[in-house]
Amino acid sequence: MVSILKRSLAIITILIIGYWLAVAMSHVPFGQDKMLVGQYYLNHVKDQTGAINAVTAIVVNYRGFDTLGEVTVLFIASTGVGALLWKRKRERTARVPGSVVLTTGTRFLFPFIVLFGAYIFIHGHLTPGGGFPGGATIATGFLLLYMAFTVYEIPHKGFEVTEGLVGMSYVAVGLIGLLIGSYFLYDWIWQTWHVGTVGKLFSGGFIPIIYILIGLKVGTELSGIIDNMLKEGVSGND
Amino acid sequence: MIEISAYYFGAIALIMIGLYAVLVKKNLLKMLVGLSIMETGVNLLLISIGYINGKSAPILSEGIGPKQAVDPIPQALVLTAIVIGVATTAMALSAAIILYEKYGTLNIEEIRRLRG
């Protein structure tokens, strides 16, 4: 049988790859201090960025340019989904309306989901989270709306405008650093004025600002992806 | 015999399970699920490399100094990797939708033009 042969060949390949990975990983000690640049970040994160969450400080502040690229990748993916699934006329084709439990629960939960998402991205410099999980949480709220109501659609115009403006503001916040004589994505709020006390909500330099922008962008983009995937072309396949 | 930590073992096992699904399954959606499982395994591997025994999450709140926190860099990298994973999965799923519309099936052996 071809399929048994293929399957056993796959298993042998996978076992070889797994053994190779295991041998490689056996030389990496688990649970020991291997930090080099990580220790530098941990030592200096409070005075250099004003944030107490080292992970978000690295993502937004030390490696802000990388994050700008990441947001761009997400934007390209959302555009790509839109382009791949493009049809002249597309509508929602769901026939079965959501049950009473789903619709009532959605009406009740939607504001709280959006509020929780906003909480996650506003407190990105203090608690675990940040713009990406916060935006994803907001998008789940919209997914719930799509599942509960057969005719619901996101306000496309508003979402597209928000997405574009937010993306431009990220670059603008970075360019301000360039304008005042430093580098792109220089933390001008914290480095020049030291606004706020470390550990409180009003601190962390531009991390909360950028994370609010990223949260809005991720939320709108993921909602757009959901919208693109749930709609179908109505007449013909082309 | 090689000795590796249980976390590394779990992560490598997840990678292998995902690879098995990618190599053997015929349904395109199942292959994409396998890809996602592989991605989870890689993320788990990166996170567990950064773990340090007895130390806490890299959030320097009260009582946690720079000496009591684990390595923040793998966590920042995994944050990036998760977002990119979502983006690529969305792209792959929309390609699968188009394939289904065109061929009426998700079985990769019946989608003849994809044969090598």
Side-chain angles (χ1 to χ4, degrees), chain A residues 116-140:
Chain A
F116 182 56
Y119 167 80
I120 290 177
F121 64 65
I122 291 171
H123 288 76
H125 55 303
L126 302 175
T127 55
F132 296 102
T137 311
I138 289 179
T140 55

Side-chain angles (χ1 to χ4, degrees), chain A residues 7 10 14 18 22 26 28 30-31 34-35 37 39 43 45-46 52 54 70 73 77 81 84 87 126 128 132 229, chain B residues 4-5 7-8 16 20 24 48-49 51-53 58-60 66 69 71 73 80 83-84 87 90-91 93 98 101:
Chain A
R7 193 162 293 201
I14 287 162
S26 68
V28 182
F30 177 75
K34 300 181 281 287
M35 278 193 270
V37 70
Q39 193 61 56
N43 289 337
V45 67
K46 273 189 183 175
I52 61 170
E70 190 183 346
V73 167
V81 170
L84 277 175
K87 295 274 165 54
L126 302 175
F132 296 102
M229 285 199 165
Chain B
I4 56 168
S5 145
Y7 290 91
Y8 292 165
M16 285 160 70
Y20 177 79
V24 169
S48 51
I49 287 174
Y51 180 72
I52 299 166
N53 283 330
I59 294 173
L60 308 176
D71 197 347
I73 294 177
T80 311
V83 176
I84 305 301
M91 286 290 281
L93 281 176
I98 289 183
E101 279 176 358

